[in-house]
Amino acid sequence: MKNRKNKLILSIIFILILIIIGYIIYTLISNKQSQNITFYTVGGNKENGLVISDCKEDQEKGTDYETLKKLKGNQFVWVPVENVVANSYDEAKEMVENDKYPLVVKDGDNYKTLIYYFDGNNKEIKLNVGSFEITSEPSSNDSDEKQRFNEMVEYLIKYNGFYVSMFEVGNITNLQDDGDNKGISKYGQNHIAENTWSNMFSLCKNMYQYKNAKSEMIWGCQWNAILIWFYSNESTRDYAFSMKNKGNFSGKLNYTGENPNYCINNIYDIFGNVAEWTQASTGEIYRLAVGSNFENADSNYISETDFTDNPENSYKFIGTRAVLYLYE
């Protein structure tokens, strides 16, 4: 009887300890989300790749290749978005005919990604509708995903753009010893693949959860926004269709930023090296990876290199890229 009583007391104490630990963790997270974080301008401009960092020592250092090797913080690049929403598919078609490329279409009280085909043969951005829509965003059966997607769209409407990680996300397969488990956007990262979509999604989300800064895995429509941005400028227009000479297709993985030539508007390795998971889905189960990878040298055309698979599988040639939202 005494032993049973002692076990009961120990069980109660153990449960109380767990509750206290949980409360401490919750408090720390809540405090962090009520705090602000400061980002600093590194160099560039909003039209052709403004770079920011979360480390003050990087402020105004510039975007020269030799300089970025020494930067200490996570770096992100501004992607301008001129046209965000079409109110209907008919309006979207009309906008495209006038060289305006909305990212999403109104879907009742929500939004839905517009599917584009980047035609490398004719150098045209074509809008796919109806039976040609093989991917969807957000997933139709995920209310949380719909809410996050709506919040992202509203941000783009308000700020006319977003920040994308300057590099493919590092720390994917070599999580930090302190258990912080955050993604990294820096030069020289090797561990940029071989984890599940779900884990990469969490790593991107955990990078920044502050009152004035949130991060997440890139959406498929934001990938389109990057290509449309390239298309909007004569000097980068071809990169909306072709990956030729702008990516690692050597058959061997490079560390992030290893080749200075694989950079467009201060974004490194947007093509080749590792393909990048997005939040776009196919068939309600599979997820979409974009940008091709180091093993794929079969085609130079962006439109022919998308990859879909089970998000719970991991691959040596698929990583991801994060996006960042800063709030005034």
Side-chain angles (χ1 to χ4, degrees), residues 1-12:
M1 186 72 179
K2 186 175 182 180
N3 288 338
R4 184 180 298 177
K5 184 177 180 181
N6 289 338
K7 288 181 180 179
L8 178 61
I9 293 172
L10 289 174
S11 297
I12 294 172

Side-chain angles (χ1 to χ4, degrees), residues 84-111:
V84 181
V85 180
N87 290 311
S88 65
Y89 280 112
D90 287 340
E91 184 179 75
K93 292 176 184 177
E94 184 178 346
M95 291 174 72
V96 170
E97 289 173 0
N98 290 284
D99 289 326
K100 298 179 180 180
Y101 302 93
L103 300 187
V104 302
V105 64
K106 283 285 289 181
D107 182 29
D109 294 330
N110 300 303
Y111 302 99

Side-chain angles (χ1 to χ4, degrees), residues 134-145:
I134 59 172
T135 60
S136 62
E137 196 176 54
S139 175
S140 61
N141 62 355
D142 191 325
S143 58
D144 175 68
E145 191 167 312

Side-chain angles (χ1 to χ4, degrees), residues 13-65:
I13 292 173
F14 178 72
I15 292 171
L16 288 173
I17 291 173
L18 289 178
I19 292 173
I20 292 170
I21 292 173
Y23 176 77
I24 292 173
I25 293 173
Y26 172 80
T27 301
L28 290 173
I29 293 173
S30 298
N31 287 341
K32 182 178 178 181
Q33 291 180 345
S34 66
Q35 294 173 352
N36 287 336
I37 183 172
T38 302
F39 281 81
Y40 305 89
T41 299
V42 176
N45 58 66
K46 280 201 168 185
E47 290 72 30
N48 299 295
L50 174 71
V51 180
I52 61 172
S53 168
D54 60 5
C55 179
K56 189 173 184 179
E57 293 181 42
D58 297 339
Q59 188 171 17
E60 305 299 342
K61 288 292 180 66
T63 58
D64 176 79
Y65 182 69

